[in-house]
């Protein structure tokens, strides 16, 4: 597996990783629907995160989300608020083991 400059595993889609990204369409959708960035977060990112939470999927970040002032940081905080724990070495958030029924 490739690593980035910080030594964390890469999240290259060519290696089978999937990610949510509206890219350039973000501004287009925002303008067409008359939405704010907060509306966009609620309408597009929260459902993606909720589905991932419901499926108990591990979320891997392309870059370090800790302290990020943008949407990456908001996604990270949302996951923490929903019981996820973060492994900075892997840059991955996963469901809490206690929520899985483990007593360890």
């Amino acid at each position: 597996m490739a690593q980035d400059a910080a030594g964390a595993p890469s999240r290259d889609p060519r290696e089978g990783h999937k990610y949510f990204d509206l890219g350039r369409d973000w501004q287009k959708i925002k303008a067409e629907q008359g939405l704010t960035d907060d509306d966009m977060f609620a309408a597009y990112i929260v459902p993606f995160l909720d589905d991932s939470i419901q499926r108990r999927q591990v979320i891997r970040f392309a870059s370090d989300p800790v302290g990020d002032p943008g949407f990456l940081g908001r996604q990270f905080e949302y996951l923490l608020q929903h019981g996820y724990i973060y492994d900075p070495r892997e840059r991955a958030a996963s469901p809490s083991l206690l929520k899985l029924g483990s007593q360890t």
Side-chain angles (χ1 to χ4, degrees), residues 5 16 21 23 27 36 38 47 67 73-74 80-81 91:
D21 182 8
Q27 293 301 328
T36 65
D38 287 339
R74 287 181 67 180
L80 294 180
Q81 291 167 5
R91 277 203 319 244

Side-chain angles (χ1 to χ4, degrees), residues 19-93:
Y19 60 94
F20 179 84
D21 182 8
L22 291 175
R24 290 184 229 150
D25 290 336
W26 181 274
Q27 293 301 328
K28 179 181 173 186
I29 292 167
K30 199 171 125 174
E32 287 175 352
Q33 297 182 15
L35 301 174
T36 65
D37 281 335
D38 287 339
D39 295 334
M40 290 288 290
F41 187 83
Y44 291 95
I45 297 174
V46 167
F48 174 80
L49 293 174
D50 285 344
D51 182 61
S52 297
I53 291 166
Q54 182 180 11
R55 293 171 184 246
R56 304 193 61 74
Q57 293 177 315
V58 173
I59 306 296
R60 299 184 190 284
F61 293 92
S63 59
D64 188 0
V66 177
D68 182 274
F71 287 108
L72 184 67
R74 287 181 67 180
Q75 293 170 48
F76 175 65
E77 291 299 324
Y78 189 87
L79 291 169
L80 294 180
Q81 291 167 5
H82 287 81
Y84 271 60
I85 54 174
Y86 182 63
D87 177 353
R89 188 178 43 93
E90 292 293 321
R91 277 203 319 244

